[in-house]
Amino acid sequence: KAGVTQTPRYLIKTRGQQVTLSCSPISGHRSVSWYQQTPGQGLQFLFEYFSETQRNKGNFPGRFSGRQFSNSRSEMNVSTLELGDSALYLCASSLDFYTGGADQETQYFGPGTRLLVL
Amino acid sequence: QKEVEQDPGPLSVPEGAIVSLNCTYSNSAFQYFMWYRQYSRKGPELLMYTYSSGNKEDGRFTAQVDKSSKYISLFIRDSQPSDSATYLCAMSRNILTGGGNKLTFGTGTQLKVEL
């Protein structure tokens, strides 16, 4: 089974620009979560989408947004980029929790998109 | 104070050593506990997953959870140079009590296993 894929893998942008990152979850997974990883803050939760609806949100400004499509693929968007947005953005997918069982909550991560803001 | 505390290391051990990695947490609502391994410039890879107190073993890896002390550990036996990576503990609440799929991570411990 193919893993979580993220595109692009690397991105360089300048301050003020916006960026869109894409994530394709593992086949059959309906929950997609996004995380930001920086050396200073570590891994921080951005938001989670389930069945095209945002189910959970972290403490990030409104410049960070996301969406999920009917095929469970997800995109996140960052508008008006700041230098501090430079990070590794990770996407993780997990099974539909309605199926029951502990493994439903196991999240599998993609390789990430490394964003550099100049 | 962070919800999850983890010693960042770095931790350097000789090949074959037993490695002990630990995290403490403050939120008693956490019910699911995970250990991820992350190699440089890669995404985290799930190593161990448990949702109860006690021990869980998988090959050279043993995860231990003590909910009464809010303390979790990962032991690596017969450590190998290929185990050199950053180890991240992660926790989540129960989806049914509103936790969703949000993982709260420790800062990660950098491990180096030397020949």
Side-chain angles (χ1 to χ4, degrees):
Chain A
K1 197 181 250 190
V4 178
T5 58
Q6 292 187 247
T7 56
R9 292 294 310 279
Y10 302 93
L11 209 48
I12 299 176
K13 292 286 188 179
T14 56
R15 278 183 300 174
Q17 286 186 309
Q18 75 165 19
V19 67
T20 300
L21 312 180
S22 181
C23 171
S24 292
I26 293 172
S27 177
H29 285 194
R30 292 175 58 181
S31 167
V32 174
S33 299
W34 289 89
Y35 294 81
Q36 181 196 65
Q37 187 174 31
T38 59
Q41 298 297 319
L43 266 153
Q44 293 185 287
F45 174 79
L46 279 156
F47 30 64
E48 179 210 359
Y49 285 87
F50 178 80
S51 292
E52 301 178 65
T53 301
Q54 188 180 86
R55 183 164 66 175
N56 220 338
K57 189 178 187 304
N59 298 320
F60 278 81
R63 299 186 297 109
F64 292 82
S65 62
R67 59 178 176 168
Q68 186 180 33
F69 302 96
S70 57
N71 61 358
S72 293
R73 191 176 70 83
S74 178
E75 289 181 347
M76 69 163 281
N77 184 276
V78 188
S79 62
T80 319
L81 284 166
E82 300 176 359
L83 295 179
D85 297 332
S86 295
L88 179 67
Y89 290 89
L90 292 157
C91 166
S93 74
S94 61
L95 280 168
D96 177 358
F97 84 96
Y98 291 111
T99 63
D103 285 350
Q104 68 202 9
E105 300 194 47
T106 303
Q107 292 190 43
Y108 298 89
F109 282 82
T113 293
R114 190 164 294 277
L115 172 65
L116 177 61
V117 182
L118 301 176
Chain B
Q1 186 188 2
K2 290 187 175 182
E3 283 187 290
V4 180
E5 299 281 356
Q6 183 176 9
D7 186 337
L11 181 62
S12 184
V13 301
E15 184 179 9
I18 296 175
V19 176
S20 173
L21 304 166
N22 311 294
C23 287
T24 59
Y25 62 97
S26 56
N27 189 345
S28 57
F30 288 139
Q31 295 190 26
Y32 298 89
F33 305 92
M34 289 136 277
W35 286 95
Y36 284 86
R37 177 175 62 193
Q38 187 175 24
Y39 291 112
S40 181
R41 311 191 81 79
K42 301 282 188 182
E45 168 197 12
L46 181 67
L47 275 178
M48 300 286 287
Y49 172 98
T50 184
Y51 55 93
S52 61
S53 283
N55 294 352
K56 181 177 180 179
E57 192 173 315
D58 184 1
R60 297 185 296 112
F61 299 92
T62 298
Q64 193 172 77
V65 174
D66 182 347
K67 287 186 177 180
S68 62
S69 301
K70 297 189 179 68
Y71 187 87
I72 70 170
S73 300
L74 177 71
F75 298 96
I76 307 174
R77 290 183 299 281
D78 188 26
S79 55
Q80 303 294 311
S82 58
D83 294 328
S84 298
T86 296
Y87 289 80
L88 299 145
C89 64
M91 311 178 185
S92 67
R93 294 164 55 188
N94 189 308
I95 278 180
L96 298 179
T97 59
N101 257 328
K102 174 186 175 182
L103 290 178
T104 301
F105 282 86
T107 51
T109 299
Q110 191 176 347
L111 171 68
K112 184 172 183 181
V113 181
E114 303 195 74
L115 290 167

